[in-house]
Amino acid sequence: MKITKAVIPAAGLGTRVLPATKSMPKEMLPIVDKPAIQYIVEEAVASGITDILIITNRGKGVIEDHFDISVSLEEILKRAGKTEQLDSIKDIHKLANIHYIRQIETKGLGHAVSRARTFIGDEPFVVMYGDDVIIGDIPATKELIDAYGTFGKGVLGIKPVSEEAIKKYSSLKVENIHDNVFKCTDMIEKPQRREDIFSLYSILGRCVLPPDIFEILDHTEPGAGGEIQLTDAMAELARKDGMTAVEFTSKRYDMGNKLGILQANIEVGLKHKEVGEGLREYIKELAKTL
Ligand code: UTP
């Protein structure tokens, strides 16, 4: 079955990025000149997704405005002859069919995904974490969808992380099948004890899930941090049916913490056609003083 639907949970409180996220969703924080969530929507579209459900919350209206048409701004840019700026905004609302639902209560990523049940119906779908931006020539979501086509099981987008980082992420029990493709049979969210760590492979921001996940989420109890964790529901799926894991090719940036935001801006900035050269010179000069 062709996968055409994606869910982007963007209803978190973003407490690690306060005060920037007091009134601005972290998914709208820019990487150079585009909000994080636009990179994610563009990755979805490049992977064949046509319909996207963004899970929002109070104060997330700016996300809806960003993917809407702005007739008055377009008129002003047209009249001023600012063609390049006009080109940068005029097609944003045509990227995909974007739908919205509010999470109402911020009870965790698993709870946010369960809000997508009616939108998804009986199809496999993609989850794209709203604060994980993945940039590169090969869209990560496309690699996951291809693996779903081959193995017919839920697929996780993974990368190895440091032992320090694994305690804040998830840890997966994986077995290599070939190249960057693995079989996953168990996982744990935020393992605190060394003996609970299956491997240093962690889910970083993308997965393809069968619709069965909704029934599992119905009985998933709050886990790490008192939140209903998507990882706990996926662990049940992995133990029951097995899942596939793909070490995706492109680079992932964590927009959920301050250092990750700075790294994304520097790396993407260095490749940016308008500011790349200037930024390179600036960093070289600055480095002499460090
Ligand atoms: P995080 O756990 O990184 O987001 O969830 P958070 O809760 O905003 O983070 P901090 O710890 O307070 O800084 C990953 C993704 O899941 C969404 C977030 O918006 C983020 O994109 N999420 C999280 C929800 O949509 N709802 C939730 O209840 C929790």
Side-chain angles (χ1 to χ4, degrees):
M1 180 185 271
K2 197 163 179 271
I3 298 180
T4 59
K5 290 181 183 171
V7 176
I8 305 179
L13 299 176
T15 56
R16 283 167 295 155
V17 201
L18 282 168
T21 46
K22 187 178 173 209
S23 63
M24 162 77 85
K26 64 177 161 183
E27 295 78 10
M28 284 300 290
L29 293 170
I31 302 179
V32 187
D33 52 5
K34 272 197 283 189
I37 198 163
Q38 187 178 333
Y39 288 91
I40 298 175
V41 167
E42 287 172 351
E43 178 197 326
V45 173
S47 306
I49 297 295
T50 55
D51 284 80
I52 298 170
L53 178 70
I54 302 180
I55 317 278
T56 66
N57 223 332
R58 263 182 304 281
K60 304 261 181 171
V62 283
I63 297 179
E64 296 185 25
D65 290 344
H66 185 74
F67 292 104
D68 196 357
I69 193 167
S70 177
V71 178
S72 55
L73 180 59
E74 287 188 16
E75 272 308 313
I76 291 166
L77 294 175
K78 220 179 277 173
R79 261 188 272 127
K82 295 190 172 176
T83 323
E84 211 173 304
Q85 289 87 339
L86 179 63
D87 286 347
S88 75
I89 64 154
K90 71 177 175 22
D91 291 331
I92 295 175
H93 70 279
K94 297 180 196 156
L95 281 169
N97 299 317
I98 303 189
H99 313 249
Y100 302 90
I101 192 166
R102 290 194 178 203
Q103 189 184 359
I104 313 287
E105 289 173 286
T106 314
K107 287 189 183 170
L109 181 58
H111 178 258
V113 170
S114 70
R115 300 284 291 138
R117 190 179 205 144
T118 321
F119 170 77
I120 296 300
D122 199 22
E123 300 171 30
F125 63 103
V126 180
V127 179
M128 308 174 80
Y129 302 12
D131 55 358
D132 277 321
V133 172
I134 301 176
I135 298 177
D137 293 336
I138 305 173
T141 293
K142 170 110 185 17
E143 288 181 291
L144 268 59
I145 289 176
D146 288 348
Y148 184 85
T150 307
F151 297 96
K153 291 181 186 297
V155 188
L156 307 158
I158 65 166
K159 291 262 191 201
V161 303
S162 68
E163 203 165 322
E164 203 36 49
I166 203 89
K167 294 180 190 147
K168 298 184 210 143
Y169 298 145
S170 55
S171 169
L172 307 186
K173 191 174 182 181
V174 283
E175 217 177 279
N176 188 253
I177 301 176
H178 67 84
D179 306 300
N180 62 338
V181 182
F182 300 76
K183 182 178 172 188
C184 172
T185 49
D186 207 350
M187 67 190 83
I188 180 170
E189 180 68 20
K190 298 187 177 55
Q192 294 308 305
R193 297 178 313 173
R194 229 181 179 181
E195 59 267 34
D196 293 335
I197 299 173
F198 288 121
S199 76
L200 292 182
Y201 276 105
S202 192
I203 305 165
L204 294 185
R206 303 289 180 266
C207 42
V208 174
L209 294 172
D212 315 13
I213 198 74
F214 295 113
E215 263 169 51
I216 299 176
L217 281 167
D218 278 347
H219 62 248
T220 303
E221 297 288 337
E227 298 191 338
I228 298 175
Q229 298 287 352
L230 182 61
T231 307
D232 292 343
M234 292 193 296
E236 193 176 320
L237 192 68
R239 289 193 290 263
K240 192 159 61 93
D241 298 342
M243 294 183 81
T244 307
V246 173
E247 187 174 344
F248 54 83
T249 313
S250 295
K251 176 101 195 250
R252 170 257 187 187
Y253 298 99
D254 183 359
M255 294 295 285
N257 75 74
K258 293 168 195 176
L259 185 60
I261 295 168
L262 291 171
Q263 287 165 337
N265 274 282
I266 291 169
E267 290 190 26
V268 175
L270 284 169
K271 291 187 189 136
H272 194 280
K273 67 175 176 359
E274 195 182 317
V275 299
E277 211 32 61
L279 181 61
R280 186 175 312 277
E281 287 313 307
Y282 169 72
I283 291 174
K284 278 187 188 162
E285 279 308 306
L286 187 68
K288 290 180 194 160
T289 70
L290 299 177

